[in-house]
Structures are given as structure tokens and as C-alpha cells.
Amino acid sequence: MAKQAKKTDRQAVIDSIRSQQSRSENRRGLAIVGVCVLVAVLIIGAAAFKPLKDWWDLRAYASASLGEIGAKASTCQEVVTKKADGNQDHVDVGTPMTYPDAPPAFGQHWNMWDSMDRKLYSTSDRPDLGELVHNLEHGYTILWYDETIADDSAAMDELRGIASKLEGTTNLRDKFKAVPWTSEDGDPFPKGQHVAFTHWSVGGVGETDASKQVGVWQYCSDLSGSALEQFMEDYPYMDSPEPTVV
């Protein structure tokens, strides 16, 4: 009887230990699940935060005109031009392209171009230079911004505001793209300049003499919707080699 009692006592101890271990494992399991849920919520929240922030930031520019966004036009230098070439000089997609100008306003380009619906790009998703130069041939104005702008959250908010004023694909006057220019693309902009507008001009709307084609540049030390608006008025999409191609 004594042996049986001792055996029963030992079994009770074992059962108690197993029960405690089971409860401890359950708590650890719940803790792991809780951590996983928290991480998932944070990931989902982070993914949702940026679009929500971008939407909220754009509200500040909802009632502003393009010319009211950013610095005054005086922040930009005088427009400069250079004789252009490369009209209809198409090469296969993927062909390495380098350009002597920073950034390019004309030249040989890929036989593919980017669609009109996207207006603002970052370094992670920007089309290749050979593709963008083809857009220039079609009358686009391209705003190139350097790393100084890219690293400035307030400046990027302004750039989103500018791009929002040129949304859409039905009005060809809104042929516009804002894209980053990096050290991998070529030389930096002139000292103190962080933004550049480029356009491929035929020398005036309706001009058919290819020898009159020029590349057009305007450099700015800061973002200026006012300067951009004037630039696009002076060099509209119709003033380009292929203005009717979207």
C-alpha cells in the first residue's frame, strides 16, 4: 500500500509538472501569435500609411494652381538651347544609352516610350533614359530632380502637388513627367541647381525644317511650379518632332 501511495504521489507530481509545462507552452504560443499579429498589423499599417500620407499632403495643394506651388520663377536660370539631332533615330529596347548633356533634351533613343498616365517617378521605378528621350520626341516636358530634392520630404510633397496639376491623358498639353536624375545617369546639374526642365523643340509650332530643331533646358535651384508653367507655355507639346503621338 505504501509503494502504491508513493507511486501515486510521484504520478501526481509528474502530472503537475506536465500541466505547468503545457500552460507555459500555451502562453508562449499565444505570445508568438500576438507578436506575429502585431508585426502583420505594423506591416499593413506601414503599407497603407504612405498612400494615405500622399493623399493628405496633396490636400494642401488642392486649391492651389500650378504656378502657386513651390518657389518663385526667379529661382530658375535663363532658358538655354542647343542644336538637336536624333529625330527618328530609334534603336532596340535595352540598347545602352548615354547622353552628353545632364539631363538629355534630345538624341538617339529606344523604339519604345512611356505612357502618359504616369507623371511622377522615383529612382526605384523610373523608365530608362532611352525611353524617356523618346517621350521628349513626342512633345513631353520632363522635370528632372536630383538627390537633394529626392531626400527632402517637403520638396517631394511639392513635387507631388505639381504632378497632380498635370494629371490625365486626354489633354495633350499635360504631356509631362517628373523623374529623378542620379549620378549613375551622368554628370550632375550645374553647381547649386537641383531641378532641370527639358524639351525637344522643332523651332516653333508648325516648323518642318529639321535643321531648326533644338534641345531646350532650364535649370532651377528649387522646385517652381511658376517657372514650369511658363516653360510649358513657351515650349508646348505641339513644338516637337511628333506632337500627336501620346
Side-chain angles (χ1 to χ4, degrees):
M1 291 294 292
K3 290 182 178 180
Q4 183 66 34
K6 289 181 179 180
K7 184 177 181 180
T8 301
D9 291 341
R10 284 198 302 271
Q11 186 62 48
V13 171
I14 292 171
D15 289 344
S16 176
I17 292 171
R18 286 176 175 172
S19 178
Q20 291 175 5
Q21 289 176 336
S22 178
R23 288 195 297 271
S24 178
E25 288 173 358
N26 287 338
R27 285 194 296 270
R28 281 200 300 272
L30 289 173
I32 291 171
V33 170
V35 169
C36 290
V37 170
L38 178 60
V39 169
V41 169
L42 290 174
I43 291 173
I44 293 171
F49 174 75
K50 188 178 185 305
L52 181 60
K53 179 182 181 300
D54 291 349
W55 171 81
W56 182 262
D57 290 339
L58 283 177
R59 291 188 62 195
Y61 303 107
S63 60
S65 67
L66 174 60
E68 293 173 327
I69 300 175
K72 294 180 179 180
S74 58
T75 197
C76 299
Q77 298 182 346
E78 294 295 322
V79 170
V80 295
T81 63
K82 177 181 177 180
K83 184 176 174 56
D85 57 34
N87 188 197
Q88 286 293 307
D89 189 358
H90 301 156
V91 296
D92 291 338
V93 172
T95 302
M97 305 299 298
T98 57
Y99 296 94
D101 300 301
F106 60 85
Q108 185 184 64
H109 46 279
W110 288 2
N111 56 12
M112 176 180 75
W113 61 94
D114 191 43
S115 63
M116 189 178 170
D117 56 328
R118 180 78 179 273
K119 303 301 175 79
L120 175 60
Y121 292 86
S122 67
T123 53
S124 64
D125 58 12
R126 191 205 72 185
D128 285 281
L129 293 182
E131 191 174 348
L132 289 168
V133 173
H134 201 152
N135 281 90
L136 287 167
E137 187 181 41
H138 291 176
Y140 283 74
T141 290
I142 297 183
L143 182 159
W144 309 80
Y145 62 95
D146 72 3
E147 294 175 358
T148 298
I149 299 296
D151 293 339
D152 186 332
S153 60
M156 289 305 296
D157 286 343
E158 287 184 345
L159 189 52
R160 278 186 283 272
I162 287 171
S164 73
K165 300 303 176 181
L166 297 163
E167 289 181 343
T169 60
T170 56
N171 188 344
L172 299 189
R173 288 179 294 180
D174 294 334
K175 280 187 171 184
F176 167 82
K177 291 188 179 295
V179 301
W181 178 261
T182 71
S183 58
E184 295 179 359
D185 296 316
D187 293 336
F189 298 160
K191 186 177 180 180
Q193 308 305 301
H194 304 295
V195 176
F197 309 144
T198 63
H199 181 79
W200 188 336
S201 167
V202 292
V205 176
E207 179 60 62
T208 58
D209 183 352
S211 68
K212 295 184 178 180
Q213 292 187 14
V214 295
V216 185
W217 288 263
Q218 187 172 27
Y219 293 98
C220 308
S221 60
D222 203 351
L223 291 164
S224 172
S226 177
L228 175 65
E229 186 173 51
Q230 187 62 55
F231 185 89
M232 294 182 72
E233 287 180 6
D234 293 341
Y235 301 96
Y237 80 96
M238 287 297 293
D239 176 27
S240 67
E242 299 177 21
T244 60
V245 184
V246 177

